Amino acid sequence: MSTWQEWQEAPWGRLRYSIVEANLVRHLDSAGSLSLRVLDLGGGDGGDAVRLAAQGHRVTIVDFAPAMLAAATERAGALGLGDLIACVEADATDLPEELAAAQFDAVICHNLLQYVDDVRGLLGVALGALIPGGLLSVMALNRYSEALRIAVREADPSAARAALTTDRARTEMFDSQVTLHTAEEITAILTDLGCQGIGHYGIRTFCDYIDDECKGEPDFFVELERLELAATALPPYIHLARLFQLIARKTAP
């Protein structure tokens, strides 16, 4: 837990949350409601949830890790947001009946796709929990970024070449094997499931290819965040970002 929390406070962690939040605000502001019901699948210790709750939204976090949920509860209480955040211990792919029924205005599914085998099934569960016209936000590791990251940060062209032809990678944070996806693959699934108006954004478009020491300088970080915000929706940069974010609307029947 401490390693994960340290990562969240690092420049790359802060950028991940601030850029995702900015993109969400673009779409949530158009929902026509001051307080939305939000379901956070695999929400962990509440990194996304507390930001949404701070805007007045009611967030239900679903996660299978009790320690993460306990940290989310503690964080929400410390920020005075305890009344706006509820935690449910469950598998995001097998929601309790009371959560699976279409009742949420928005569902977020961030940093979860790479850990599940049945991506289509997970997205189906997420959409099933949405009201007609509700918003779904999906964020995941971008497969296109892996070879570039290895070549630039690890200076290993041989490993980078191998990364061009695989969708598998290993995370240092959790020391686990993950499956990498592209925004195009997930967009096709969302479209097939009946979503429309899918927005494609890049998260940490430049950050992960810059020397870590630079990012620790406050003035540099301010300018880096401005750059990331300016490029988050711009092709071709979105295709090279470390993470992609897709925000879609569930088609009304």
Side-chain angles (χ1 to χ4, degrees):
M1 280 290 293
S2 60
T3 303
W4 172 242
Q5 290 166 345
E6 289 173 6
W7 181 92
Q8 289 178 318
E9 294 303 319
W12 34 90
R14 284 183 286 149
L15 276 173
R16 171 262 190 257
Y17 287 100
S18 63
I19 306 303
V20 164
E21 180 185 20
N23 292 334
L24 273 171
V25 166
R26 299 186 190 193
H27 294 263
L28 292 176
D29 282 353
S30 67
S33 174
L34 295 178
S35 180
L36 302 177
R37 299 160 298 173
V38 182
L39 179 62
D40 185 357
L41 295 178
D45 63 350
D48 287 305
V50 294
R51 290 172 176 262
L52 290 165
Q55 298 171 28
H57 305 305
R58 295 187 173 278
V59 186
T60 299
I61 301 173
V62 171
D63 203 283
F64 67 84
M68 284 287 192
L69 293 176
T73 299
E74 182 179 352
R75 173 183 277 182
L79 295 172
L81 300 170
D83 291 341
L84 292 174
I85 294 179
C87 293
V88 177
E89 184 180 341
D91 189 323
T93 63
D94 186 21
L95 294 178
E97 186 176 345
E98 63 272 18
L99 298 181
Q103 61 173 311
F104 291 95
D105 302 294
V107 174
I108 61 177
C109 183
H110 294 167
N111 210 34
L112 185 57
L113 264 60
Q114 56 262 36
Y115 296 104
V116 301
D117 295 326
D118 184 6
V119 169
R120 185 184 181 92
L122 172 63
L123 295 176
V125 169
L127 289 168
L130 274 175
I131 63 171
L135 291 172
L136 171 64
S137 175
V138 177
M139 187 205 72
L141 286 170
N142 174 21
R143 190 169 79 218
Y144 292 144
S145 74
E146 183 66 0
L148 182 60
R149 182 194 66 80
I150 293 172
V152 174
R153 296 308 304 270
E154 298 181 11
D156 189 341
S158 177
R161 179 163 51 84
L164 292 173
T165 56
T166 180
D167 64 356
R168 304 294 286 173
R170 192 158 199 88
T171 65
E172 293 182 11
M173 177 68 64
F174 299 112
D175 190 27
S176 59
Q177 193 84 358
V178 296
T179 301
L180 305 178
H181 304 281
T182 68
E184 289 79 4
E185 292 170 351
I186 305 305
T187 295
I189 295 174
L190 291 174
T191 301
D192 193 44
L193 290 173
C195 291
Q196 60 183 10
I198 303 173
H200 176 191
Y201 304 97
I203 310 298
R204 300 206 318 255
T205 304
F206 304 98
C207 172
D208 285 43
Y209 313 117
I210 297 175
D211 182 76
D212 289 351
E213 187 174 346
C214 293
K215 289 175 281 194
E217 294 294 327
D219 290 343
F220 183 91
F221 181 83
V222 168
E223 291 304 319
L224 177 59
E225 186 174 49
R226 289 175 178 169
L227 173 62
E228 294 280 355
L229 284 167
T232 186
L234 293 180
Y237 309 107
I238 55 177
H239 300 292
L240 297 177
R242 185 57 179 152
L243 305 142
F244 63 82
Q245 182 182 13
L246 302 173
I247 301 180
R249 190 173 295 278
K250 178 180 178 179
T251 305

